[in-house]
Amino acid sequence: MREDFYITAAPIFATYLGVVSGNEALKYTALNTAELNEVESRRLFVASLMPSPSAVFVEDKSEVVRQYGYALAQEEAGVDRAILVHSFLESTRAVATAKTEAKTKLYESLTNAMGALFLLPLFLLFLWAVGVLAVDPALLIALIFGVTAAVGAVAVASTPRDLSLWRTYEWSLPVGLVAGALVGLLASPPAAFLAFGLTALGWLKARDRLWWFRIRQEVPPMLRAAAAMLKEGAPPDIIIARLSGRFRVAAKVAYGYFIPSRYFALARAMYRAISEAGGASAVKAVEYIQSVIDLENAAVRRTVKLAAAYFALFIAAVVILTYSVATAVKSLSALESGYNPFFTPPPYEEVKWVVSTAMALIAASYIAVFLSAVGIHYSATLGGAVGLALQQAIQLLM
């Protein structure tokens, strides 16, 4: 998104703005951020060619873009650069905080809605099991998959994410879907999640990409160390050599690797900025990066905790439903048909299989959707394992 680009590019711009003119800062920022958003980086470059670039940004409808305009206007007015950089980073940090909070609230609202929505199949299953609702059980299972797909798409879109899904998982996504479908049809439906997750996990291991999910934890300390060594007078080639021994991200930056990660692109651009502009403003810029990462991590933790609370509620509802269905179906089956004109429960073995499978699917779906922020391979594998375990537990209870 456009706002994400300007929030991410802020520390790079601030590092250059601390030592060069506003036009030069825009030009260098544009050259170093093409990987993040080519269209917006081109806009920065065009603005750097204008005699008064602040006018391009001050009237923009986006709050974070206007912060660039205010910073450029202050630079044109001769404000002290240290004060200017501090003011710009603090203002942009406030905008990033508000944006992350808004995303978190959306995600929490989605969790509340999905928690309530997942309780609907429980009620329908009970009506079907006691013979009140005459419906094909396959339709109930299809309803669960439909709800999961729809809400899962919204959840994935609103989750704070660093890596590009397709460029990270690539062909493991369609291959995993096919494998999951086959396993779900031939073995057990909840096992479909496990097959998909293991396929994605195997792909990531084979391509040596599991460490990509730790990139944003490595970036701030790596850049902080680079700025500190630059202040001590170490040349850039010595700095990158030292960092490569401590941080895997630094080694990939040194050898020119491409990784579809927003923070990897930021690390590479920030390293260039620190090498070219010096470490005077880099320390404040790195602190900004750390604060934004902390905000995203806190948002992910909040959503995971909320999802765990709803999942615990769901498990309690499953236990109650299982006991109620088992008791009701056994009692109704024992009655003669003349004394039971309204309730015609299906065969008990069919009820046992459908209820256990549906509950396992709901549990697997919930975990796969709401833990996707830590990696689809992890959430799908864990969801499938929990679903299979719950299926076996329900069958034992019934």
Side-chain angles (χ1 to χ4, degrees), residues 262-340:
R262 180 163 51 102
Y263 283 108
F264 181 80
L266 174 61
R268 182 154 53 185
M270 271 300 294
Y271 175 74
R272 291 182 196 146
I274 292 172
S275 301
E276 294 170 357
S281 302
V283 175
K284 293 179 181 178
V286 174
E287 289 175 357
Y288 167 88
I289 296 171
Q290 181 70 69
S291 66
V292 172
I293 291 175
D294 289 343
L295 280 172
E296 293 185 356
N297 290 339
V300 170
R301 284 195 296 270
R302 282 173 59 185
T303 54
V304 169
K305 286 180 181 178
L306 185 62
Y310 272 101
F311 188 72
L313 177 63
F314 167 75
I315 292 299
V318 166
V319 172
I320 295 172
L321 176 78
T322 303
Y323 177 77
S324 303
V325 167
T327 304
V329 173
K330 287 179 180 177
S331 300
L332 291 172
S333 300
L335 292 176
E336 297 181 9
S337 59
Y339 295 98
N340 183 23

Side-chain angles (χ1 to χ4, degrees), residues 50-346:
M50 298 180 178
S52 181
S54 60
V56 179
F57 302 98
V58 168
E59 297 181 357
D60 196 278
K61 62 181 181 180
S62 173
E63 178 67 22
V64 66
V65 178
R66 288 200 296 270
Q67 299 305 321
Y68 282 73
Y70 299 150
L72 290 168
Q74 290 175 343
E75 190 273 334
E76 292 167 5
V79 176
D80 181 78
R81 292 189 182 276
I83 298 174
L84 169 61
V85 168
H86 177 77
S87 174
F88 170 71
L89 289 176
E90 287 300 316
S91 301
T92 310
R93 193 203 317 266
V95 175
T97 302
K99 190 172 185 296
T100 304
E101 286 293 328
K103 273 192 173 183
T104 304
K105 289 184 183 299
L106 172 63
Y107 200 83
E108 289 175 352
S109 300
L110 186 65
T111 307
N112 295 335
M114 195 168 182
L117 202 58
F118 270 156
L119 294 178
L120 174 62
L122 302 183
F123 178 66
L124 296 178
L125 275 173
F126 181 79
L127 294 181
W128 171 81
V130 298
V132 175
L133 182 65
V135 64
D136 189 345
L139 291 178
L140 294 177
I141 295 177
L143 173 65
I144 296 170
F145 271 119
V147 169
T148 302
V151 183
V154 179
V156 169
S158 61
T159 303
R161 198 176 303 279
D162 173 37
L163 295 166
S164 166
L165 282 180
W166 174 251
R167 290 181 175 181
T168 301
Y169 292 98
E170 293 181 338
W171 291 104
S172 67
L173 294 179
V175 171
L177 289 174
V178 172
L182 291 175
V183 171
L185 290 173
L186 300 177
S188 173
F193 291 89
L194 191 60
F196 175 82
L198 290 177
T199 301
L201 180 62
W203 176 274
L204 293 176
K205 282 191 173 182
R207 307 280 290 183
D208 190 27
R209 293 181 178 177
L210 277 175
W211 72 274
W212 286 8
F213 294 86
R214 301 190 302 271
I215 285 178
R216 65 180 180 182
Q217 273 72 44
E218 282 195 12
V219 168
M222 184 198 84
L223 294 177
R224 199 177 293 114
M229 284 188 279
L230 193 66
K231 274 189 171 183
E232 294 172 358
D237 55 341
I238 299 298
I239 292 175
I240 198 67
R242 291 178 182 174
L243 292 177
S244 298
R246 295 171 53 192
F247 303 102
R248 196 168 183 179
V249 171
K252 299 301 182 183
V253 168
Y255 289 104
Y257 277 72
F258 171 76
I259 296 175
S261 161
R262 180 163 51 102
Y263 283 108
F264 181 80
L266 174 61
R268 182 154 53 185
M270 271 300 294
Y271 175 74
R272 291 182 196 146
I274 292 172
S275 301
E276 294 170 357
S281 302
V283 175
K284 293 179 181 178
V286 174
E287 289 175 357
Y288 167 88
I289 296 171
Q290 181 70 69
S291 66
V292 172
I293 291 175
D294 289 343
L295 280 172
E296 293 185 356
N297 290 339
V300 170
R301 284 195 296 270
R302 282 173 59 185
T303 54
V304 169
K305 286 180 181 178
L306 185 62
Y310 272 101
F311 188 72
L313 177 63
F314 167 75
I315 292 299
V318 166
V319 172
I320 295 172
L321 176 78
T322 303
Y323 177 77
S324 303
V325 167
T327 304
V329 173
K330 287 179 180 177
S331 300
L332 291 172
S333 300
L335 292 176
E336 297 181 9
S337 59
Y339 295 98
N340 183 23
F342 301 108
F343 300 96
T344 54

